[in-house]
């Protein structure tokens, strides 16, 4: 090391003297403790603190670490002065006073000076006990001069330690820069997550507000309908009671007339014979007339609503307003307006070259058979929505509480985005799904299918009978039902091979009914465009029908359901499925 450079390293750049009580800054520059404190005392009003040598900024003020070497000078006898450098050639540590010969005399110029060290063993060659001076590129270790001449590294490529150090520093600096870019990307991603969380909270708040307003309007309408219905009943009650009062007054008048006739008869009995005979015929006619009076009957103590067409119409309209598809669409439109960044509506797939498959004839169901099937189904009651603060946290939770099935209608179903495979694209109304080779940026979810492109519906079925209609567009699809806790990863998550799923699966040239690995081929005579599914939970039957001019029965599973079931679907190879009303 050059003498001038070493002197600069040993001296404080502020006072230009040998360090007194030296401290080390984060930038690895040393100063006297008093010198650096005096410099920083003048920078209090400025923006942060800086190194007087390299001018690196520190904010807040860094802690000052003591940099006093703990290695004593080997030449000090009376007092153990701290060493400031160690000579590798002399294998001796020197304080600033005894180091001067190495800095000033020419014969010490080739001596290598380093930071004070106590143990030089790791700097010597284990074979020749000489200082390590070169780096063996072939073996990747530091060696002495003898190792490259007569030792194990003879004929190996050797470079100086300075060249190796420079190359390694350059490599590390390059990798550190890459790491910094990765770190910056991590910071950016973290900001994006925070931004997404804020947007979700905003959209959720808007959704809650709009749904609360919608439910408030419905409650207001219900209250108005209730008041109107009660008013109509009160009016009808008043009318009936008025009739009763009129009839009661008539009866009272008739009873008074009969009492007067009775009194007149008793008085007539006391008169003489001629007067009695002369007046008896008139009295007799009054008695006979009184006996022929018609008495009004009291009304039945039951309110007959058929006599109140206004009330009947009001009740029907109020009930229908909570069971029609229009109400569901209004609620969905309310939610859709707050979810502008949802997945786009899948484009219609042109599938004009559908193959006309020729198979054995199968048993078909006529329209009359379908009518008898509907008549055999028990009528389902119209469900009313129960609005609670927790019920509107998610879109599928709201839709579950909307009326799903009225008399003679199909079940209202929506797809559950939390279970959708990343290769599936959902429409905004959650009623159609299509396959895409590009994975969607769905968040991680333990309920999401990962191995196969499958999805479940949000609605569960645990009693009664249910039907739903599916339109197919493509040649690779699966339609069926599954339990909620069906596996979502590995080959066991396949709807065709799992014991917790029952499905109808269409391949490029075959149709099969699949359950728990067992596959039953189903013959067809035309390409399937619509499938109707009918579930009878209590009887444990799941039936599939092809919908065309007539209903063609395809297959029926017979089992015992032990858990609620969810409609399940599979899409592959650019296939699209859509739920129909």
């Amino acid at each position: 090391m050059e003498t001038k450079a070493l002197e600069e390293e040993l001296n404080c750049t502020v006072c230009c003297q040998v360090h007194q009580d030296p401290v080390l800054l984060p930038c690895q520059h040393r100063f006297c403790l008093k010198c650096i404190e005096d410099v920083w005392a003048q920078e209090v009003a400025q923006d942060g603190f800086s190194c007087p040598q390299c001018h690196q900024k520190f904010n807040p003020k860094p802690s000052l670490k003591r940099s006093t070497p703990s290695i004593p000078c080997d030449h000090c006898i009376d007092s153990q002065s701290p060493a400031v450098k160690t000579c590798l050639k002399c294998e001796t540590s020197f304080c600033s006073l005894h180091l001067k010969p190495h800095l000033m005399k020419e014969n010490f110029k080739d001596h290598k000076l380093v930071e004070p060290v106590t143990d030089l063993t790791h700097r010597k060659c284990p074979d020749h006990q000489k200082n390590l001076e070169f780096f063996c590129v072939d073996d990747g270790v530091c060696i002495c001069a003898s190792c490259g001449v007569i030792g194990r590294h003879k004929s190996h490529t050797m470079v100086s330690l300075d060249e190796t150090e420079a190359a390694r520093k350059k490599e590390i600096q390059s990798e550190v820069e890459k790491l910094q870019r990765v770190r910056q990307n991590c910071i950016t991603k973290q900001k994006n997550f925070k931004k997404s969380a804020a947007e979700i909270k905003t959209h959720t708040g808007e959704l809650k507000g709009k749904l609360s307003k919608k439910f408030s309007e419905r409650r207001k309408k219900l209250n108005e309908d209730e008041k109107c219905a009660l008013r109509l009943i009160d009016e009808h009650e008043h009318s009936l009671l008025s009739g009763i009062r009129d009839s009661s007054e008539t009866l009272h008048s008739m009873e008074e007339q009969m009492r007067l006739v009775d009194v007149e008869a008793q008085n007539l009995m006391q008169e003489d014979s001629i007067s009695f005979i002369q007046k008896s015929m008139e009295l007799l006619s009054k008695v006979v007339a009184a006996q022929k009076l018609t008495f009004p009957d009291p009304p039945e103590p039951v309110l007959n609503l058929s006599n109140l067409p206004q009330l009947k119409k009001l009740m029907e309209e109020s009930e229908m307003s909570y069971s029609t598809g229009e109400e569901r669409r209004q609620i969905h439109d309310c939610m859709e307006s707050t979810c502008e960044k949802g997945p786009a509506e899948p484009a219609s797939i042109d599938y004009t070259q559908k193959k006309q498959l020729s198979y054995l004839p199968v048993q078909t169901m006529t329209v009359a058979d379908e009518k008898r099937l509907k008549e055999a189904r028990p009528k389902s009651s119209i469900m009313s929505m129960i609005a609670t603060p927790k019920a509107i946290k998610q879109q599928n939770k709201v839709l579950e509480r909307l009326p799903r099935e009225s008399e003679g209608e199909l079940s209202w179903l929506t797809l559950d985005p939390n279970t959708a495979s990343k290769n599936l694209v959902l429409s905004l109304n959650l009623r159609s799904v299509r396959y895409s080779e590009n994975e969607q940026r769905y968040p991680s979810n333990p309920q999401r299918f990962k191995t196969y492109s499958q999805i479940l519906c949000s609605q569960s079925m645990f009693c009664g009978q249910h039907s739903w209609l599916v339109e197919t567009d493509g040649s690779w699809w699966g339609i069926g039902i599954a339990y909620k806790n069906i596996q979502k990863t590995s080959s066991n998550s396949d709807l065709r091979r799992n014991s917790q799923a029952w499905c109808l699966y269409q391949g490029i040239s075959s149709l099969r009914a699949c359950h728990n690995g067992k596959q039953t081929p189903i013959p067809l005579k035309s390409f399937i465009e619509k499938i109707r599914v009918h579930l009878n939970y209590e009887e444990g039957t799941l039936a599939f029908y092809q919908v065309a001019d007539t209903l063609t029965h395809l297959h029926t599973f017979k089992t015992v359901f032990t858990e609620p079931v969810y409609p399940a679907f599979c899409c592959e190879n650019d296939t699209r499925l859509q739920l129909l009303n």
Side-chain angles (χ1 to χ4, degrees), residues 2 75 103 105 133 147 151 164 220 266 269 284 325 351 378 385 400 484 500 534 547 564 581:
E2 295 183 358
H75 282 267
L103 302 178
K105 291 185 178 181
E133 302 179 62
C147 289
T164 304
K220 181 180 179 181
Q266 295 299 329
M269 292 293 186
L284 186 60
Y351 204 83
M385 179 186 295
E400 279 186 357
K484 185 71 172 180
Q500 297 183 330
H534 182 74
V547 180
N581 291 331

Side-chain angles (χ1 to χ4, degrees), residues 6-12 17-19 84-85 99 103:
L6 186 55
E7 288 181 347
E8 291 178 352
E9 182 177 353
L10 296 175
N11 295 336
C12 173
Q17 300 295 326
V18 176
H19 292 106
V84 294
K85 292 292 178 181
L99 183 64
L103 302 178

Side-chain angles (χ1 to χ4, degrees), residues 229-486:
L230 295 177
R231 179 175 55 81
L232 290 173
I233 294 174
D234 289 340
E235 292 176 355
H236 188 54
E237 177 191 22
H238 178 73
S239 176
L240 293 176
L241 294 178
S242 297
I244 290 176
R245 285 194 296 269
D246 294 341
S247 298
S248 179
E249 292 176 359
T250 301
L251 287 173
H252 181 72
S253 176
M254 294 170 61
E255 188 270 335
E256 180 64 19
Q257 293 178 15
M258 288 184 285
R259 188 186 68 79
L260 293 175
V261 170
D262 182 57
V263 171
E264 184 178 354
Q266 295 299 329
N267 293 334
L268 185 60
M269 292 293 186
Q270 304 299 325
E271 295 185 8
D272 59 88
S273 300
I274 295 175
S275 298
F276 174 78
I277 294 172
Q278 290 176 346
K279 297 178 180 179
S280 61
M281 294 304 296
E282 181 182 358
L283 178 62
L284 186 60
S285 62
K286 291 181 180 181
V287 173
V288 174
Q291 293 176 357
K292 294 181 179 180
L293 292 175
T294 301
F295 303 109
D297 295 326
E300 292 290 335
V302 178
L303 185 61
N304 189 358
L305 296 184
S306 62
N307 296 331
L308 291 176
Q310 290 179 305
L311 179 60
K312 183 178 180 181
K313 180 179 180 182
L314 175 65
M315 297 299 291
E316 290 177 350
E317 291 178 352
S318 180
E319 184 179 3
M320 287 302 295
S321 65
Y322 292 93
S323 62
T324 61
E326 179 62 27
E327 178 64 21
R328 291 192 293 267
R329 285 190 289 272
Q330 290 177 0
I331 292 292
H332 175 67
D333 291 342
C334 169
M335 288 184 289
E336 185 175 301
S337 63
T338 64
C339 303
E340 298 175 355
K341 297 185 179 180
E345 177 77 14
S348 176
I349 302 176
D350 185 11
Y351 204 83
T352 57
Q353 298 179 350
K354 296 178 179 177
K355 296 185 178 180
Q356 299 296 324
L357 305 178
S358 178
Y359 295 96
L360 295 175
V362 297
Q363 181 180 1
T364 60
M365 178 181 287
T366 64
V367 176
D369 295 332
E370 183 187 13
K371 183 178 180 181
R372 285 193 294 272
L373 176 62
K374 288 184 177 180
E375 292 175 349
R377 180 196 301 180
K379 297 182 179 179
S380 59
S381 60
I382 300 176
M383 300 173 63
S384 59
M385 179 186 295
I386 302 175
T388 63
K390 293 183 179 180
I392 56 177
K393 284 186 176 181
Q394 298 178 0
Q395 178 174 342
N396 58 341
K397 296 296 183 182
V398 175
L399 291 175
E400 279 186 357
R401 285 161 173 78
L402 292 175
R404 295 179 297 180
E405 186 174 3
S406 59
E407 183 178 350
E409 293 182 348
L410 298 172
S411 299
W412 177 261
L413 301 176
T414 54
L415 301 169
D416 184 2
N418 291 325
T419 64
S421 163
K422 292 188 176 182
N423 287 106
L424 296 181
V425 181
L426 306 180
S427 62
L428 281 176
N429 61 3
L430 301 180
R431 295 275 290 170
S432 65
V433 58
R434 67 176 175 87
Y435 176 83
S436 173
E437 293 183 356
N438 300 322
E439 290 192 353
Q440 307 302 304
R441 299 177 64 181
Y442 296 149
S444 299
N445 191 311
Q447 295 298 320
R448 190 176 308 286
F449 284 103
K450 298 179 178 60
T451 308
Y452 294 93
S453 53
Q454 300 174 163
I455 187 173
L456 301 180
C457 278
S458 299
Q459 292 75 18
S460 64
M461 301 171 183
F462 49 86
C463 64
Q465 301 188 55
H466 306 267
S467 293
W468 56 98
L469 188 62
V470 185
E471 183 181 71
T472 66
D473 195 348
S475 56
W476 292 89
W477 49 260
I479 300 173
I481 59 174
Y483 291 155
K484 185 71 172 180
N485 59 352
I486 184 176

